[in-house]
Amino acid sequence: MGKDKLRKFAEIETFKNVLQKENGLPYKGKWAKDFFGNSNPLILELACGKGEYTVNLAKLNPEINYLGIDYKGNRIWRGAKTAIEDGIENVGFLRIQIENILEFFDENEISEIWITFPDPQPQDSREKKRLTGPKFLERYKFILKPDGIMHLKTDNDGFYAYTIEQIELQNLPINKQTTDLYHSDLVDDVLSIKTYYEKKYLAHDKNINYVQWKFDSKN
């Protein structure tokens, strides 16, 4: 591991807005009250990378709590440090494997989930790793409130098509969708937030896919 990564890993240990692995377990069912110190809604960004979406969502909506989740601490470092430097109190980061999400969040605890430019895991052998696969969707359904909303932004057309297929297989209602976000009428202050990777894709004229859906029932 390089010296820069080691430095970042050491520094996030001192950040009050970052919890790593088992340190997040005591907050299950109590994130708003015990971590953020309020009763505001909680929104997650999964595979948050450098945390640009998490931080910018928090800036736009100070009355909502945001938590970015990723396993790579050297990436989380950037978002967490920006939040501290800018005095953004309604944002935090959790370093865990997303497949373990049910260990950290209770039923009906989350208002929305964002998945922004995740690894598409294109190989057939890695389908179970895709963040919009059936087992992951079941986990999200459990922790989301009955009216909770899911969001996906991706440059990968194959992953987007796979996600739409999974949504349709479960007969889930789609609120909004487009295969070319920035040439659609859906763009607003939230959807125009751009991550580090998104800026790279757009620089190469890559289309951005977006879909918003929900789980119709909690049965």
Side-chain angles (χ1 to χ4, degrees):
M1 185 180 292
K3 289 183 179 179
D4 190 52
K5 282 189 177 180
L6 287 173
R7 175 184 64 82
K8 290 175 180 178
F9 271 113
E11 192 170 0
I12 64 172
E13 288 281 359
T14 69
F15 289 172
K16 66 177 183 178
N17 60 355
V18 177
L19 291 171
Q20 300 198 63
K21 301 179 182 180
E22 63 275 2
N23 291 335
L25 291 172
Y27 294 93
K28 181 177 181 177
K30 302 178 291 184
W31 282 94
K33 176 177 176 290
D34 289 358
F35 186 76
F36 291 100
N38 56 50
S39 58
N40 295 339
L42 176 59
I43 293 177
L44 305 182
E45 183 194 2
L46 306 183
C48 69
K50 297 175 181 290
E52 300 101 324
Y53 234 91
T54 306
V55 170
N56 282 287
L57 284 170
K59 286 181 179 179
L60 286 173
N61 303 293
E63 74 287 355
I64 297 175
N65 301 320
Y66 291 91
L67 198 62
I69 298 177
D70 206 298
Y71 194 67
K72 296 188 176 181
N74 59 306
R75 291 182 181 174
I76 284 177
W77 171 87
R78 179 64 272 167
K81 190 171 182 68
T82 296
I84 291 171
E85 291 174 343
D86 292 352
I88 307 169
E89 298 291 336
N90 61 318
V91 61
F93 292 88
L94 176 63
R95 182 175 170 252
I96 61 167
Q97 297 279 11
I98 294 170
E99 52 260 40
N100 299 326
I101 199 167
L102 294 185
E103 297 178 23
F104 295 86
F105 299 96
D106 211 346
E107 184 174 12
N108 301 335
E109 187 172 8
I110 307 303
S111 294
E112 294 183 25
I113 293 176
W114 283 83
I115 304 174
T116 52
F117 302 93
D119 186 337
Q121 309 287 359
Q123 304 93 335
D124 290 343
S125 61
R126 297 186 65 82
E127 181 178 355
K128 292 182 179 178
K129 295 284 188 179
R130 296 174 189 166
L131 292 184
T132 54
K135 290 187 177 180
F136 280 102
L137 291 180
E138 284 300 312
R139 294 180 177 103
Y140 307 153
K141 179 179 179 180
F142 182 80
I143 64 175
L144 276 171
K145 296 180 181 297
D147 59 347
I149 295 173
M150 294 289 308
H151 305 262
L152 169 71
K153 285 179 79 175
T154 178
D155 70 301
N156 190 283
D157 296 337
F159 182 72
Y160 177 75
Y162 172 82
T163 301
I164 295 298
E165 180 183 13
Q166 297 306 311
I167 292 170
E168 291 177 345
L169 283 171
Q170 296 195 27
N171 295 311
L172 304 177
I174 293 177
N175 297 335
K176 302 174 183 179
Q177 67 181 123
T178 178
T179 56
D180 196 356
L181 177 62
Y182 294 105
H183 291 95
S184 77
D185 59 0
L186 297 181
V187 180
D188 56 16
D189 288 346
V190 170
L191 287 175
S192 62
I193 296 171
K194 296 178 181 65
T195 69
Y196 168 80
Y197 292 105
E198 184 174 4
K199 290 175 183 177
K200 290 179 64 175
Y201 304 141
L202 289 170
H204 291 87
D205 295 322
K206 187 71 182 72
N207 63 295
I208 303 300
N209 303 283
Y210 170 73
V211 59
Q212 178 192 120
W213 76 99
K214 63 192 304 184
F215 297 99
D216 202 23
S217 71
K218 299 289 285 189
N219 296 331

